[in-house]
Amino acid sequence: MKILVTGCCGYIGSHTCVELLNHDYEVVGLDNFSNSKKEVLDKISQITNKKITFYEGDMLDEHFLESIFKDNEISCVIDFAAYKAVGESVEKPVEYYINNVSSVLTLLKVMKQYDCKRLVFSSSATVYGNPVEIPISEAAKVGRTTNPYGTSKLFVEQILKDLYHSDPSWNIVILRYFNPVGAHPSGLIGEEPNGVPANLMPYISKVAKKELTCLSVFGNDYNTKDGTGVRDYIHVVDLAIGHIKALEKLLKDECGISIYNLGTGVGYSVLDIIHTFELVNGVKIKYKMVNRRKGDIAVCYSDPKKAKEELGFVCKRSLEDMVRDAWNYEKNKKL
Ligand code: WQD
């Protein structure tokens, strides 16, 4: 059974390829290396002792996509390929909509052409905007997104709903990630953002490695236990396993179009992350309190009940595992 993974060399894509291979799926991968590195393919093989069938190219290229479907009988597509930097999306909205929305339209067109109508779509908790109710369930109102990245995910979710209502022979699972962090315990693959990290965990890892000198904590005047922002951090390996659960549902029964939050249901503050990272890894993280970051919300964490009941998905890895594996990956890169 062949599964096409778009963005297979990316952070979540590569970890999902590892879990797919570990579960004896045949993986066909595509990537244009706009935000990933080719050597990740070797790392995936090192971890699993298996190879994926790889195609380098861009999802906006219809003929490139057709060549993949012509060469392989694809049972299901897991679509990760997207730009995902919130701040960058505010500066470059058109690039984000072209890359995150138009590429999916091209993918859906070619999937239909080859009668491949099973899709797992990588969405994000940002579609909830500033949540009214915490914890956030899938029934929560979406919209009022605060950046083009989140809006691009919202647009694709709407496209998928419209597609399904036009043709119920599609089976689609939309996965809304909360805050993916950490790395594979081997230390061979992990989060590798271009340039200075925008996200908290990779920034902390760089401070620990002394590549960056001091973490700026964006606001300590939120209405939270210690004034800093609270998020639902999920280990990237748990997240990858969530995709296996979604795939099993897609392949096992006709699920129509289903939406699931992938999170732990537990919120941790920025200071929780800093202190746990220091304690588990025996390193000191220099930080200073600065003003809030524009577009940030105070608290965001999931109600993971639906994924547990319908996918049998439960996060297994702790915050300690997340900070340990993040630091292990960072240290391993030096070797
Ligand atoms: C987490 C907390 C910051 C950096 C975004 C996207 C989301 C997903 C994950 C793609 C917040 C604080 C951060 C720093 C800090 N991406 N922080 N100093 O903004 O919750 O979510 O990334 O799918 O869709 O929205 O993640 O890691 O940037 O921030 O104080 O240098 O850490 O204020 O409270 P965020 P983050």
Side-chain angles (χ1 to χ4, degrees):
M1 179 151 325
K2 288 187 177 180
I3 310 298
L4 173 60
V5 179
T6 77
C8 64
C9 292
Y11 177 40
I12 300 162
S14 56
H15 286 82
T16 302
C17 286
V18 165
E19 295 311 321
L20 285 166
L21 293 169
N22 288 344
H23 287 76
D24 296 326
Y25 289 102
E26 268 189 271
V27 177
V28 178
L30 75 85
D31 208 305
N32 65 1
F33 302 123
S34 63
N35 191 22
S36 56
K37 295 188 173 70
K38 191 163 192 169
E39 59 255 29
V40 168
L41 292 168
D42 293 336
K43 303 282 172 66
I44 292 171
S45 295
Q46 262 183 268
I47 294 169
T48 61
N49 209 13
K50 295 178 182 174
K51 275 187 144 342
I52 71 175
T53 306
F54 179 72
Y55 295 82
E56 181 177 352
D58 196 310
M59 263 173 52
L60 287 164
D61 177 348
E62 190 172 329
H63 298 303
F64 165 68
L65 280 180
E66 283 172 346
S67 68
I68 296 174
F69 282 84
K70 219 174 276 161
D71 292 353
N72 304 274
E73 192 178 336
I74 303 292
S75 301
C76 178
V77 177
I78 306 183
D79 180 26
F80 292 106
Y83 297 153
K84 60 157 197 164
V86 167
E88 184 186 52
S89 77
V90 175
E91 292 151 35
K92 302 176 180 172
V94 173
E95 290 86 339
Y96 266 68
Y97 290 128
I98 290 170
N99 191 63
N100 291 9
V101 183
S102 307
S103 62
V104 179
L105 291 170
T106 310
L107 173 67
L108 294 173
K109 184 180 174 194
V110 176
M111 286 177 72
K112 186 161 180 277
Q113 212 178 307
Y114 285 86
D115 199 31
C116 171
K117 294 185 174 179
R118 289 192 183 109
L119 174 70
V120 178
F121 175 67
S122 161
S123 189
S124 165
T126 29
V127 302
Y128 293 114
N130 199 344
V132 179
E133 218 175 292
I134 298 283
I136 307 172
S137 84
E138 291 83 351
K141 207 167 159 26
V142 294
R144 298 190 315 281
T145 43
T146 56
N147 55 78
Y149 160 73
T151 307
S152 73
K153 291 298 183 181
L154 201 59
F155 284 169
V156 174
E157 288 197 7
Q158 187 56 54
I159 289 165
L160 296 177
K161 288 172 188 166
D162 293 343
L163 169 63
Y164 175 71
H165 291 120
S166 75
D167 176 358
S169 66
W170 279 81
N171 280 278
I172 298 167
V173 171
I174 293 171
L175 298 178
R176 292 174 178 164
Y177 310 156
F178 281 69
N179 287 60
V181 291
H184 190 269
S186 66
L188 291 170
I189 53 175
E191 191 167 10
E192 198 55 64
N194 288 338
V196 175
N199 294 135
L200 180 66
M201 192 68 85
Y203 200 105
I204 289 176
S205 298
K206 297 270 182 224
V207 172
K209 206 173 169 188
K210 306 209 181 325
E211 279 181 18
L212 293 168
T213 50
C214 177
L215 168 73
S216 297
V217 177
F218 298 139
N220 64 345
D221 56 352
Y222 287 107
N223 181 17
T224 61
K225 64 172 185 176
D226 57 26
T228 63
V230 170
R231 296 292 185 275
D232 181 335
Y233 297 94
I234 174 171
H235 195 294
V236 65
V237 174
D238 275 334
L239 189 65
I241 291 166
H243 289 76
I244 305 298
K245 296 289 188 186
L247 186 61
E248 286 166 358
K249 181 174 177 68
L250 270 184
L251 297 172
K252 187 172 62 193
D253 58 33
E254 306 315 326
C255 69
I257 183 163
S258 305
I259 298 177
Y260 299 98
N261 288 338
L262 292 189
T264 62
V266 179
Y268 287 107
S269 72
V270 177
L271 291 179
D272 288 331
I273 303 300
I274 296 170
H275 297 150
T276 308
F277 194 102
E278 292 180 322
L279 199 63
V280 169
N281 297 318
V283 292
K284 198 82 193 91
I285 300 297
K286 191 164 178 295
Y287 66 88
K288 62 184 177 189
M289 294 300 173
V290 299
N291 293 332
R292 296 181 177 189
R293 177 173 63 179
K294 199 165 151 306
D296 267 357
I297 55 178
V299 180
C300 176
Y301 59 86
S302 68
D303 172 353
K305 217 180 357 287
K306 190 180 175 195
K308 180 177 181 185
E309 286 167 359
E310 296 185 18
L311 300 180
F313 174 67
V314 179
C315 290
K316 298 243 183 328
R317 288 150 187 87
S318 65
L319 182 63
E320 289 71 17
D321 296 323
M322 296 177 211
V323 297
R324 181 182 305 110
D325 292 337
W327 178 225
N328 182 48
Y329 172 69
E330 203 56 48
K331 284 187 297 181
N332 200 39
K333 271 194 287 184
K334 202 162 37 185
L335 305 180

